[in-house]
Amino acid sequence: MYLEGAVCPDLVHRQMDAQHPDREKHWVSFPGLRLQSEVLERVRSQGQWWRQIVSAIEKESSNHLGKASANYKELQEQMTAERTKTAKLCEKSVEKKMTRKECIALHDDLLEAYMNKDFQDKIKAAWAAADGNNAKQQKAKRQLCLPLQLPIMAKYGFEASEKGVFACLWAVRTTFFNFKRPEEFDRELTLRAALLDFLVSPGHSLHPEVAQWAVQHYAATPGAGAVWKMRKVQT
């Protein structure tokens, strides 16, 4: 576990714009184009509820009148009700609340740790050794990130353990990202989330808006310049 900013990377990409080079991985369709069948099948494989959603998407895609069917509206209402219910339960489950100021400071501390060239060299080597095996990549990520995370967790009042990292991740996600529409995301936190994900995922690209912000915002961070060069970020 690496606390990638407490937000799904696909939502970050969607919130930025549709021009991201990895956009095809995150959308089931684009306006005026056919549905992405491979993506739909991947969503369908996640379980019964997701199969219902895919069926509704396929049905609405074939509705040339452009009006939502009664079944689709019913599904939307069910999803909204479940979303509201789950959001309240999640909020109650957070043991330690974080303010926005604390959350931004936490992210900055993690970013500074992950910009360390020694860390970047190690995670790049681990990625190469994993040879495309996602399980090995995730294991290496946890092992390399945890020693950097523990003192930061303690600094913000969380247990200095994997359990504390999970608690911190849950607190951030529930307070600032879960159950919000991408356009409602806090821009400062969204930018940090995208950069965190990039720094701990050697195979990922960085959205141009995030890259420009990162180069400017962390210009004085020790080692940042070397990291940008290593990861081919335009400065």
Side-chain angles (χ1 to χ4, degrees):
M1 162 166 18
Y2 59 95
L3 195 66
E4 83 301 347
V7 59
C8 297
D10 65 321
L11 290 180
V12 174
H13 296 321
R14 293 185 193 196
Q15 195 271 347
M16 294 301 176
D17 61 37
Q19 301 304 313
H20 192 277
D22 292 335
R23 64 190 182 280
E24 289 82 2
K25 298 178 182 178
H26 306 291
W27 291 90
V28 297
S29 70
F30 291 92
L33 300 180
R34 66 178 179 81
L35 294 175
Q36 304 293 309
S37 58
E38 291 183 3
V39 180
L40 285 174
E41 288 306 312
R42 196 158 62 241
V43 174
R44 199 193 308 271
S45 69
Q46 299 304 307
Q48 182 177 357
W49 180 250
W50 292 106
R51 287 196 293 273
Q52 292 182 47
I53 293 175
V54 170
S55 295
I57 291 172
E58 291 175 326
K59 184 172 183 178
E60 291 312 307
S61 178
S62 63
N63 183 353
H64 299 294
L65 295 177
K67 296 179 180 179
S69 67
N71 288 342
Y72 189 64
K73 288 181 178 179
E74 182 180 344
L75 181 62
Q76 285 181 311
E77 290 173 357
Q78 290 178 13
M79 290 176 64
T80 299
E82 289 297 324
R83 185 171 179 264
T84 301
K85 179 181 177 181
T86 305
K88 291 179 179 179
L89 289 173
C90 290
E91 186 177 355
K92 290 181 180 179
S93 69
V94 175
E95 295 180 3
K96 175 178 170 50
K97 302 280 186 177
M98 295 190 73
T99 65
R100 180 179 183 274
K101 184 177 180 180
E102 288 176 325
C103 190
I104 287 178
L106 165 75
H107 278 62
D108 282 340
D109 285 347
L110 287 168
L111 284 167
E112 184 174 348
Y114 295 156
M115 283 183 210
N116 180 278
K117 189 176 182 300
D118 182 55
F119 171 79
Q120 287 295 316
D121 286 337
K122 288 179 180 178
I123 199 165
K124 183 179 179 180
W127 226 252
D131 195 27
N133 185 303
N134 184 63
K136 290 182 179 179
Q137 290 173 350
Q138 298 307 312
K139 182 178 180 180
K141 189 180 291 186
R142 290 193 300 272
Q143 291 176 337
L144 291 172
C145 289
L146 189 61
L148 302 180
Q149 293 170 333
L150 296 187
I152 296 174
M153 295 301 104
K155 177 179 177 180
Y156 291 93
F158 294 93
E159 183 178 304
S161 65
E162 276 197 309
K163 180 181 177 182
V165 176
F166 274 111
C168 179
L169 174 65
W170 187 243
V172 175
R173 275 188 170 167
T174 301
T175 306
F176 299 100
F177 292 108
N178 278 6
F179 313 108
K180 294 182 183 295
R181 296 182 179 87
E183 60 269 20
E184 297 173 338
F185 287 172
D186 185 302
R187 183 175 184 274
E188 289 296 306
L189 290 175
T190 301
L191 289 166
R192 285 167 171 79
L195 183 56
L196 278 173
D197 177 66
F198 172 75
L199 290 173
V200 298
S201 306
H204 288 193
S205 57
L206 195 61
H207 189 283
E209 181 183 347
V210 183
Q212 182 181 22
W213 171 84
V215 170
Q216 294 175 349
H217 199 82
Y218 296 98
T221 300
V227 171
W228 304 148
K229 185 176 181 180
M230 177 194 301
R231 297 293 301 274
K232 297 181 172 59
V233 175
Q234 293 295 323
T235 59

